Amino acid sequence: MDIYKLRDNFDAIVQRVESARIRRSEHHIVQIVAVTKYVGTQEIRALYELGQRAFGENRVQDLKAKTSALEDLPLEWHFIGRLQKNKINHLIDLDPWFMQSLDSLELALEIDKRLEAKGKKMQCLLQINSAKEETKAGVMPERAYDEYLKIIEETKHIDLVGVMTIGAHTDEREKIKESFETTYKIYETLKPHGAQICSMGMSGDFELAIECGSNMVRIGSLFFEGIN
Ligand SMILES: *Cc1c(COP(=O)(O)O)cnc(C)c1O
């Protein structure tokens, strides 16, 4: 692994996030989650040495392997993938910092039951299918507000603190922007109900997402380009 290239990638990402957040507002703070689903523990350790603390994985198995191999480090783990019912207990046992991909009331109720049994809590974000794509998980935008309130009402152990979306899958910037704006509007209506995090933006569109109000970006491939 080319550690210097990794450092350069990291620096470039930080600078681009910094410029984008200032275009939004000088008071706008953005957290960077490094998505490590493409790499192993060596790369995660290297990023930790460079100052990165928040990491994201989209499969429970991988999260489990990596958290146990990296137990000695104080990392913040974010689960960002589709959660199958039979993996709920495994995820809870891993004590993730955030579960970003809560995509229905039904899943929330199921997780809540297991949390109750284990005497635990979990911070979650409601995933919104902001471009209404069939291949994507998430609540439809027009139902998101009601679903969010129902989850708050009907669960005791889920701490719902915001929303997450994946931008529209297209090369058209306008369409991607629209999906971010849709999500941000929903986020704003949910602020009085405790929403604090609007997680949107990946390697290809994080600057646009930040300009639309994102305060958490999930960046994977850009970190690791050319390091091997
Ligand atoms: C893989 C993934 C990312 C990171 O994607 P890149 O394009 O590699 O930056 C972000 N969010 C989710 C939900 C992902 O699955």
Side-chain angles (χ1 to χ4, degrees), residues 82-90 104 106-111 114:
R82 214 174 272 213
L83 181 61
Q84 291 161 305
K85 289 228 173 91
N86 62 346
K87 300 276 168 62
I88 294 175
N89 278 325
H90 296 287
S104 69
E106 192 198 352
L107 179 63
L109 292 173
E110 205 62 48
I111 295 174
R114 317 287 178 87

Side-chain angles (χ1 to χ4, degrees), residues 76-188:
E76 249 181 44
W77 284 104
H78 296 238
F79 183 73
I80 59 172
R82 214 174 272 213
L83 181 61
Q84 291 161 305
K85 289 228 173 91
N86 62 346
K87 300 276 168 62
I88 294 175
N89 278 325
H90 296 287
L91 181 67
I92 294 173
D93 291 340
L94 298 174
D95 285 315
W97 185 259
F98 267 112
M99 150 56 165
Q100 295 208 12
S101 42
L102 188 61
D103 60 9
S104 69
L105 173 64
E106 192 198 352
L107 179 63
L109 292 173
E110 205 62 48
I111 295 174
D112 194 55
K113 235 192 280 172
R114 317 287 178 87
L115 286 168
E116 164 101 33
K118 291 172 184 284
K120 289 192 177 184
K121 296 221 174 242
M122 192 184 277
Q123 296 196 97
C124 296
L125 304 181
L126 181 66
Q127 183 172 353
I128 299 173
N129 189 348
S130 54
K132 304 187 172 191
E133 290 159 317
E134 269 177 28
T135 51
K136 269 187 202 143
V139 179
M140 286 299 155
E142 61 274 14
R143 298 193 42 233
Y145 179 83
D146 288 346
E147 196 93 343
Y148 195 96
L149 294 198
K150 267 195 207 142
I151 293 172
I152 291 179
E153 247 173 56
E154 296 184 25
T155 66
K156 280 205 207 94
H157 308 277
I158 285 178
D159 199 4
L160 202 53
V161 290
V163 296
M164 182 273 251
T165 200
I166 298 172
H169 184 71
T170 167
D171 290 332
E172 288 175 61
R173 301 299 280 179
E174 267 316 302
K175 288 256 163 63
I176 302 173
K177 190 174 172 197
E178 230 171 77
S179 65
F180 290 150
E181 286 171 345
T182 297
T183 305
Y184 187 77
K185 274 188 206 137
I186 297 165
Y187 166 66
E188 276 199 307

